Amino acid sequence: AGLGALAAPARADRSVPDATGRRIAVPDRVARVLPAGPPAAILLYTAAPEMLMGWPARPPRPAEAAFLTPEAAALPQLGRLTGRDNTANIEAVLARRPDLVLDYGSVGQTYISLAERVREQTGLPVLLLDGALPRIPETYRLLGDILHRREACEARAEAAERILAAATDAAERLRARGRPRVLYLRNPRGLETGLQGSINTEIVEFAGAENVAGRALGPGGLVQISMEQVLAWNPDWLIFQNPDALALTRTDPLWRALPAVRQGRAVLLPGLPFGWMDFPPSVNRLLGLIWLPVLFGAAPRDGLAEAVAAFHALFYHRRPEPSQIEALLRPALP
């Protein structure tokens, strides 16, 4: 049975398009937005933090909270409405009286069906926005129209356009001189990666590098790989998501056998308050596009710290201290 009867009868005064081409009836005044998953929560926090009702997964840990506003860090955990591990208690969520549900990521048919199911369960409008990297400016503008936050969203759309354009220019320079071959390594053992076209490794290819796992194994999502494959691929750069995995390169003879490790080209992906590569794959990936051209030598190193601080100030509403930026960048550059 649907739970629509539990939802507040919101006045649906206007119809807005989402990224799927559907037109969705939403209240004219939106004040409280329920993010369906972590990517939507980050997008919403960057654009309209006062509308964010809570975090779909866990609340920010102290190290993450240090880069967010105190108000956002104190928001509750609501659980997820979509995805494999949907954990939200719908009655409890509806008791908080959200105006709409926002989802951000893939806009394929599976996700449209999922959005429709959530709408039927909750009686709430469910908007689905396209999480593709090149569409971030367009997504902000659409969100600005939906939430009546055009000015705030336009500032972030323009900043995203500048970052994407600079990364595109740097990628052209890399292609002209030879693309670096990169392997992105997730999890504490470092043996999970994303394939060609995966949202998890999309920024590697966007930045002009070659994803060696995608080249070897073709298109797909996340996959487990073996140490034998890593050794056979022999990438120019290793980018680790987890500090425990990076630590293995100092002690494990197999990792130490890789030229990239011996030549100091194994680095740690910055992950505060959110990962710069994926984890989760939201607008936080724009920081990765500021950093990767510097890592690969296609953009100057001086200016990186200020660019990162300015991004945090605009998107995360809090300018980090120079010491915080230095700590983020130290393991992320050779």
Side-chain angles (χ1 to χ4, degrees):
L3 292 163
L6 295 169
R11 285 263 313 286
D13 290 326
R14 62 200 170 108
S15 154
V16 297
D18 73 356
T20 68
R22 300 175 307 149
R23 290 198 72 87
I24 314 287
V26 299
D28 191 50
R29 190 180 153 278
V30 174
R32 295 165 66 71
V33 178
L34 179 65
I42 295 172
L43 173 69
L44 182 62
Y45 170 68
T46 63
E50 73 286 358
M51 293 187 184
L52 177 64
M53 290 174 57
W55 300 100
R58 55 174 177 75
R61 295 182 173 131
E64 296 159 340
F67 290 89
L68 304 171
T69 64
E71 296 80 10
L75 288 171
Q77 176 175 339
L78 300 174
R80 295 180 193 226
L81 277 178
T82 58
R84 287 190 307 274
D85 43 358
N86 48 325
T87 51
N89 175 324
I90 291 177
E91 289 93 335
V93 163
L94 291 176
R96 295 175 183 269
R97 305 181 89 75
D99 295 312
L100 61 86
V101 176
L102 181 70
D103 204 357
Y104 179 54
S106 172
V107 292
Q109 191 53 53
T110 306
Y111 294 88
I112 295 174
S113 306
L114 203 55
E116 285 301 315
R117 197 165 79 227
V118 172
R119 183 186 62 76
E120 285 163 15
Q121 282 182 318
T122 62
L124 293 168
V126 182
L127 291 127
L128 188 52
L129 301 185
D130 191 337
L133 200 59
R135 303 191 80 141
I136 288 175
E138 180 187 327
T139 292
Y140 271 120
R141 291 185 175 111
L142 185 55
L143 188 63
D145 288 341
I146 292 164
L147 300 181
H148 294 315
R149 286 289 182 279
R150 288 183 186 86
E151 198 175 320
C153 286
E154 183 58 33
R156 284 145 189 86
E158 289 174 7
E161 278 172 341
R162 289 192 295 273
I163 293 166
L164 291 164
T168 301
D169 290 346
E172 286 305 310
R173 290 194 289 280
L174 280 179
R175 288 191 190 97
R177 70 166 201 227
R179 297 168 71 195
R181 300 169 61 259
V182 177
L183 184 58
Y184 173 45
L185 299 150
R186 291 166 47 101
N187 81 25
R189 288 180 56 243
L191 294 175
E192 179 182 72
T193 193
L195 296 182
Q196 188 187 317
S198 158
I199 198 167
N200 303 88
T201 46
E202 188 179 12
I203 78 164
V204 169
E205 288 159 31
F206 194 96
E210 181 186 296
N211 172 6
V212 294
R215 169 96 191 213
L217 303 176
L222 287 175
V223 291
Q224 303 300 314
I225 55 174
S226 69
M227 198 65 220
E228 289 70 26
Q229 285 172 304
V230 176
L231 291 163
W233 295 335
N234 187 21
D236 301 324
W237 287 94
L238 300 169
I239 298 175
F240 288 90
Q241 182 202 58
N242 190 294
D244 294 345
L246 178 62
L248 292 174
T249 65
R250 293 190 286 276
T251 57
D252 185 304
L254 284 175
W255 284 107
R256 289 175 63 82
L258 285 160
V261 170
R262 293 201 302 271
Q263 292 157 16
R265 292 196 305 269
V267 296
L268 182 66
L269 177 75
L272 293 172
F274 313 109
W276 290 14
M277 187 82 77
D278 56 351
F279 210 65
S282 187
V283 294
N284 43 302
R285 297 181 295 161
L286 291 169
L287 268 169
L289 286 184
I290 295 174
W291 161 67
L292 286 177
V294 176
L295 182 69
F296 301 145
R301 193 161 172 162
D302 54 329
L304 177 61
E306 174 50 35
V308 170
F311 181 96
H312 275 254
L314 178 63
F315 287 83
Y316 298 153
H317 316 288
R318 184 170 179 174
R319 179 177 273 270
E321 297 298 322
S323 59
Q324 289 177 293
I325 298 287
E326 201 272 328
L328 276 181
L329 292 178
R330 195 184 318 119
L333 294 168

